[in-house]
Every structure is written in structure tokens, then in C-alpha cells.
Amino acid sequence: MVTDLYSLPAVQIIGDPLDETLEKVVETIQFFIFCFTLPFYIFVIYHLLDAQLRGVEDLSTPFFKLCVTTAIVDIWTLLNNYLGAMFPKWGWGTRIYLFLDGYYAHTYLYFAWTSGICQAMCISVLATNRLSAIIFPNRHHHIWSTQRLRIAYAIQFLPGMMAGMATLFDKTQLYRNSKNGVIPKFRNEALVTYFFLIAGAFLTVVCIYLIFAYCYLLFVLRRNTKMIKNSAFQKSRNQIKKKEMKLFIMSSITVAIQIAALCLYVSYATSILVISLDKFYLLYNAISDLYAGINPYLLWIFSDSLRKYILIRIGFRKKKKGPSSSVLTVVVH
């Protein structure tokens, strides 16, 4: 337990110091987005769970069930970023963090590394779900049966939780920044480099898989669109084109964020990007917030079924008879 903030070693600034005005503007924008995104994410997932409990068919597919577990990881990541990094960095609740000392540092760093891998696994499992719908259209529902879905849940969580345990073998140290805030850090710099290299290699594999998966998915959707040549099906063809474009945009956004995270990890680990710890935290938290907070907006934009269900439940739209369609759950044969 640390009782005096000024007894902590100061953060060593490598390279040019970060412009305080820029840092304040970026972090203020981040915080306001976080304050809106967190309740909005909970709001969307609450209604998604409500729909599943009510047996709404369009929203009870394995894809949307996987979206719920992905949301758990995302919300957990957002909370860890702010409770473990941003708030202590700003000097909020400093006495609490000093009192917790190593327990706080280990907990934050464990979940920071764990959540990054869990997020990558969640995206990979969702991509696999979409791929199986294309490659095995007749067996898709059997492959993602309730019992086998538990395996998918385990893949989303267990690899990250197990990999994060490596952080428990390194000692931690709290550092004091220029704002009289607290920053947790590993003592063994060489071990941290290995952590970054391992994370970079893992993210590289995930990125390659995602790129190939979504490229193949887009190829199949285009091929199936061209097969509809009869003018009588022109309306259906236009609908497929719209779904194709929405899916492509959604996947492109996800892959772009994943690649950005990969570039940051690899460049920092290999010293290509030589920046101060404050600059790295600024970039890391911005990308992490974007990665964790974008999914509710993608669900709202690209899932017609979920959006309509929520609007009906909150009374902004009247319920209409007839099945609704969802962009995200469509299975193309």
C-alpha cells in the first residue's frame, strides 16, 4: 500500500512530450463518447436479450447470441479502460488506487491484455458464424446448435483469460504523471516487449483470417447476386445488393480497427514507433474505445430486426404483422 503520491517514481518521457491541449481535447471527446456509448450499449443489449427471452425468432439466432457475449467483452473493456487507466491517469480517486497498489495494477493490466485477445476472438467467432452460413447453408443451424454454441462461448473467453495469466508473473509499479495521476506499469521492460510481440503475432493471424473470411463472404454474395438474372426478381436482386454493401461496410470497419490495433502493437513492440508512455496510452485507449464501442452502432445500423424491435418496445413504432428481416442474420444459399 502506498500512502504518499509523491513517493512514486515519475514517468520517464521518451521523445517529444505530448501536447497537453491536444491530449485534453482528445480525451474529453473520448469521455463524452464513452458516457453515451456505455448506456446505449447496455440499452441495445438489454432489448436484444429481452427479444431472445420472448422467443423472437429473428433475434434468437446463434449470431445474435454471440453478439451478447461479445457485448460482455466490450463493456468489460470499456469499464477497464476508464476505471483502470483513464480515471487514475486524470488523478480521479487517487487515494483508492494508491491504497490498492499492486492489486489494482495487476488487475487492470491482466484485464487490459485479456480483453484485447477476447475481443479478437469474438470477432473471429462471429466471422466464422457468417462463413458457415455461406459454406454450409443446409447444416448451419446444426453446426451452431445450443450445445455447440457453448464451445463458441469458450473460444471467445478462454484463450484471452489464459493468455492474460502471463501478466501475473511480472511485478508491477505505479508511476506518477505530470497531472499527479497514477499509471500502472510492468517493471520488466523486456518481458513487456515479449507481451507485445505475442499480442502482435496473434492479432496478425486474426487479421489475416478476417480479411480472407470477409473477402470470401463478399465474393459469394456477389456471385449469388449475379445468378438472379430474371427481371421478375429484380427487386430481390436490389435487396441482396443492399445487404451485400451493408455487410461489406460493417466488415471493413471491423477489420480496419483490428488492423489499426495490430499496427500500434507491432510498431511499439519493435520500437519503430518511439513515443512516450503518455502518447502510447492516448493512442491505445482511443483505438480500444473505438473497438469496444462501435458494435452497438453497427447493430443498430445494420440489423433492421433489432432496430424495429427496440422502436416498437419503446413505443416509437407500431407493431406490424408479418416477418421482419435482418441484414445480419440472412443466410444466402
Side-chain angles (χ1 to χ4, degrees):
M1 181 179 69
V2 179
T3 57
D4 183 13
L5 174 65
Y6 293 97
S7 66
L8 297 178
V11 174
Q12 298 295 323
I13 299 177
I14 302 174
D16 296 330
L18 181 63
D19 183 81
E20 292 186 1
T21 303
L22 175 63
E23 182 182 20
K24 186 175 181 179
V25 170
V26 171
E27 291 183 345
T28 301
I29 294 173
Q30 276 184 251
F31 184 62
F32 277 112
I33 294 175
F34 163 77
C35 290
F36 177 80
T37 297
L38 183 61
F40 178 67
Y41 208 156
I42 295 173
F43 171 79
V44 170
I45 295 303
Y46 167 79
H47 283 91
L48 180 56
L49 282 170
D50 179 68
Q52 293 175 2
L53 292 174
R54 291 173 180 270
V56 178
E57 186 176 355
D58 284 350
L59 300 177
S60 299
T61 62
F63 179 86
F64 280 108
K65 290 180 179 179
L66 291 170
C67 284
V68 173
T69 52
T70 300
I72 294 173
V73 175
D74 288 338
I75 293 172
W76 154 29
T77 301
L78 286 171
L79 290 174
N80 190 60
N81 285 350
Y82 281 85
L83 294 177
M86 302 297 277
F87 290 172
K89 176 186 175 182
W90 295 337
W92 296 6
T94 302
R95 290 185 179 180
I96 298 175
Y97 294 108
L98 292 178
F99 175 78
L100 295 174
D101 195 11
Y103 295 105
Y104 146 64
H106 271 299
T107 301
Y108 162 68
L109 291 170
Y110 169 77
F111 283 121
W113 287 91
T114 297
S115 61
I117 296 176
C118 286
Q119 282 181 306
M121 294 308 299
C122 286
I123 297 298
S124 300
V125 170
L126 288 172
T128 304
N129 177 273
R130 293 296 82 207
L131 267 182
S132 65
I134 300 298
I135 300 175
F136 309 109
N138 297 324
R139 298 176 54 195
H140 174 68
H141 292 289
H142 176 69
I143 293 173
W144 295 91
S145 61
T146 303
Q147 292 182 347
R148 295 183 180 182
L149 199 58
R150 294 172 185 171
I151 299 176
Y153 295 152
I155 293 174
Q156 285 182 314
F157 286 93
L158 292 182
M161 296 176 69
M162 293 175 65
M165 292 180 66
T167 62
L168 302 178
F169 295 97
D170 193 6
K171 293 183 179 180
T172 59
Q173 173 67 54
L174 297 183
Y175 289 84
R176 173 174 50 85
N177 63 13
S178 59
K179 303 180 183 67
N180 288 330
V182 175
I183 293 178
K185 189 179 177 183
F186 290 115
R187 288 185 179 180
N188 190 339
E189 295 291 341
L191 192 58
V192 173
T193 301
Y194 284 116
F195 287 161
F196 274 100
L197 289 174
I198 293 172
F202 180 83
L203 289 176
T204 300
V205 174
V206 171
C207 284
I208 293 173
Y209 172 71
L210 288 174
I211 291 171
F212 277 101
Y214 281 119
C215 284
Y216 179 75
L217 184 58
L218 182 63
F219 167 75
V220 173
L221 288 173
R222 282 187 176 277
R223 184 187 63 187
N224 289 342
T225 302
K226 292 178 181 179
M227 290 174 62
I228 307 175
K229 296 181 179 179
N230 193 325
S231 59
F233 296 97
Q234 187 64 37
K235 184 177 180 180
S236 298
R237 185 176 181 180
N238 291 335
Q239 289 177 346
I240 292 176
K241 283 185 177 180
K242 289 180 180 179
K243 293 174 183 178
E244 170 191 317
M245 185 54 63
K246 285 184 177 182
L247 185 60
F248 177 72
I249 294 172
M250 183 187 71
S251 60
S252 298
I253 293 171
T254 305
V255 172
I257 298 172
Q258 183 75 73
I259 292 175
L262 169 64
C263 293
L264 178 63
Y265 270 94
V266 174
S267 59
Y268 191 77
T270 57
S271 298
I272 295 175
L273 183 66
V274 181
I275 57 176
S276 66
L277 189 63
D278 281 347
K279 288 182 180 179
F280 174 75
Y281 267 109
L282 185 69
L283 290 172
Y284 172 79
N285 285 319
I287 294 176
S288 184
D289 281 5
L290 181 61
Y291 199 10
I294 198 171
N295 282 330
Y297 303 104
L298 293 178
L299 282 170
W300 182 267
I301 294 170
F302 295 106
S303 177
D304 297 335
S305 295
L306 180 59
R307 186 173 62 254
K308 290 177 182 178
Y309 179 82
I310 293 176
L311 292 176
I312 290 172
R313 291 294 296 167
I314 62 179
F316 285 1
R317 186 169 184 164
K318 293 183 179 180
K319 186 175 182 180
K320 295 181 180 180
K321 294 183 179 180
S324 59
S325 62
S326 173
V327 171
L328 296 179
T329 56
V330 64
V331 178
V332 183
H333 296 270

